[in-house]
Amino acid sequence: MNTPSRGPGKPAESTESTARTDVGEPPGPVAPEYRIPEYRIEDLAHHSGTTVRTIRAYQDRGLLPRPERRGRSNVYGEPHLARLHQIAGLLDRGYTLASIKELLEAWDAGRGLDGVLGLVAEVDRPWTDEQAERITRADLDEKFGGIPDDPAVEDAVRLGVLIRVPDTPDEFLVPSPRELAVAAELHASGVPLSAVSDHLRELRVHVEHIAGRFLDFTTEYLFHQYLDHPPTDEEATEATALVRRLRPLAQQAMDAELARAMRTQATRHLRHHLEVDREGDQEEAPEGEGTPYAPQRTAPRSRLPARKPHPRPACEPVQLPATTVEAVRALVGEDQVAAFIAAAAEREVQARRMDAMRRNGRNG
């Protein structure tokens, strides 16, 4: 018996005719309004932009419902195609297959995903108004003195300060033009680029600690009511609006506190070095004079004293697992292993100290 042919990628139609043909029975008439698109697995892969192997893997993981069996054939429908599009969208957002399975189970239980996905999209948005720019290698070299420095460029790529543009080897994407401008200004003032990179690595450790503490703080007092259970669409929408309102607060608080700290620290730092310089002047006073040499403190100084290195803190040997040291080495490089581990330990000490202070304040 001849059956109507259909080309690859063309959905079959769910009719009594199709069902009976699968088992070798003659077709019967079915009203057009009851025809629902159905797919073979090859057709489903074509329409969803995936592969047959991937579809079967999703079925094995419980991400995709099993097809309906029609005689000797497996038949897929529009719900399967919609589910594959959902999975692809969540993968694009960075979800793992395990977390996608949990979300889809929540969806199947009657809780919508629209609100959750809106919350994820809001959090994924850039946390700055700064716009990324492109720069050519020639302009980059010119910006940093006109002398090519391949090691410095590679270091900037590893740090994410520069991102290579695919298929364009002499062009880079600059996620933060302000950050690159700061590096250029420091270099023009005499700071080696290797020192600029090292300082950025150290700075990131402290800033990431601050960001983590801010998230812990806002989660404890604001977002815990939305995150201790799978949120409904309404709750996810409320949380999204809250993120939108709080988004600028982290940077505003950081800017204000950095300005305060720089004013205090810079004044103290300058005063310390000026006092050290005056002490040196007194020690070098000419001998035999009736009064000790005393410089006029109110007179303006024509130069700042050379910066003296701070004494290094006392160190004690600590044994660490070789796997930990190797992981840190792969992350920050051989020269920064000790500094990274010390900064990470200091971060944990500060976090526990702040937690203890908070608990004592509540108990008090």
Side-chain angles (χ1 to χ4, degrees):
M1 175 179 177
N2 295 329
T3 58
S5 62
R6 74 177 181 275
K10 182 179 178 181
E13 294 181 342
S14 177
T15 66
E16 284 292 321
S17 170
T18 304
R20 291 177 180 176
T21 300
D22 287 339
V23 296
E25 297 180 3
V30 175
E33 62 267 22
Y34 291 103
R35 294 177 181 177
I36 302 173
E38 292 182 345
Y39 307 90
R40 298 174 302 179
I41 190 170
E42 295 84 1
D43 301 333
L44 183 65
H46 172 76
H47 281 274
S48 63
T50 185
T51 65
V52 171
R53 183 178 179 180
T54 299
I55 292 174
R56 288 177 174 150
Y58 288 166
Q59 289 176 348
D60 293 339
R61 287 175 171 265
L63 294 168
L64 191 68
R66 293 286 176 180
E68 182 180 350
R69 189 72 177 177
R70 299 282 184 83
R72 294 184 297 272
S73 301
N74 290 327
V75 178
Y76 298 83
E78 285 298 311
H80 295 89
L81 182 60
R83 176 58 56 89
L84 288 173
H85 287 315
Q86 287 176 342
I87 295 172
L90 291 170
L91 287 173
D92 289 341
R93 294 176 182 271
Y95 282 87
T96 64
L97 290 178
S99 59
I100 289 174
K101 183 177 180 180
E102 293 180 359
L103 287 172
L104 293 177
E105 287 174 351
W107 172 281
D108 293 337
R111 296 190 295 269
L113 283 180
D114 292 343
V116 174
L117 296 181
L119 175 60
V120 171
E122 184 64 34
V123 173
D124 283 346
R125 280 183 49 208
W127 286 68
T128 176
D129 295 332
E130 192 174 14
Q131 298 294 322
E133 297 177 356
R134 290 195 176 199
I135 189 170
T136 64
R137 177 61 191 266
D139 291 340
L140 182 66
D141 293 340
E142 183 65 26
K143 194 177 188 71
F144 285 87
I147 302 176
D149 191 336
D150 291 339
V153 171
E154 293 301 323
D155 205 16
V157 171
R158 284 192 293 269
L159 286 167
V161 177
L162 299 174
I163 299 175
R164 297 188 183 278
V165 177
D167 302 324
T168 311
D170 61 342
E171 191 170 358
F172 300 90
L173 182 69
V174 185
S176 175
R178 287 200 295 259
E179 189 172 53
L180 187 66
V182 169
E185 185 63 30
L186 290 172
H187 180 63
S189 301
V191 181
L193 287 177
S194 59
V196 174
S197 297
D198 291 343
H199 180 69
L200 177 57
R201 286 188 176 91
E202 181 181 356
L203 181 65
R204 282 186 176 178
V205 173
H206 296 291
V207 172
E208 287 176 3
H209 168 71
I210 293 171
R213 297 301 297 164
F214 186 82
L215 291 174
D216 291 341
F217 169 76
T218 52
T219 298
E220 179 179 0
Y221 291 100
L222 299 173
F223 291 103
H224 68 91
Q225 59 183 321
Y226 305 109
L227 303 178
D228 60 355
H229 63 280
T232 64
D233 273 353
E234 182 179 357
E235 290 173 329
T237 301
E238 292 176 0
T240 301
L242 187 57
V243 171
R244 192 175 296 115
R245 295 207 317 269
L246 296 181
R247 178 183 294 276
L249 297 187
Q251 185 170 353
Q252 291 173 8
M254 187 69 178
D255 289 345
E257 282 302 304
L258 180 61
R260 181 200 60 78
M262 285 299 298
R263 182 179 67 251
T264 303
Q265 294 291 333
T267 302
R268 185 181 304 160
H269 190 76
L270 181 61
R271 186 177 301 161
H272 166 74
H273 282 280
L274 291 177
E275 291 295 337
V276 170
D277 187 64
R278 291 183 185 122
E279 291 173 3
D281 290 341
Q282 291 178 358
E283 291 173 359
E284 297 172 2
E287 298 180 358
E289 294 190 4
T291 58
Y293 175 75
Q296 297 294 326
R297 293 178 181 264
T298 56
R301 305 182 68 85
S302 59
R303 63 177 178 84
L304 290 176
R307 179 178 179 182
K308 295 180 173 61
H310 292 289
R312 292 182 177 273
C315 298
E316 294 184 7
V318 177
Q319 292 186 352
L320 295 173
T323 53
T324 300
V325 176
E326 183 61 31
V328 173
R329 183 182 292 111
L331 181 65
V332 300
E334 181 69 35
D335 297 339
Q336 298 298 317
V337 170
F340 183 90
I341 293 175
E346 179 62 23
R347 170 180 174 177
E348 181 64 22
V349 170
Q350 292 177 1
R352 296 193 179 195
R353 185 180 296 123
M354 292 177 67
D355 289 340
M357 292 173 62
R358 186 170 60 213
R359 288 194 299 268
N360 292 336
R362 288 176 178 174
N363 295 334

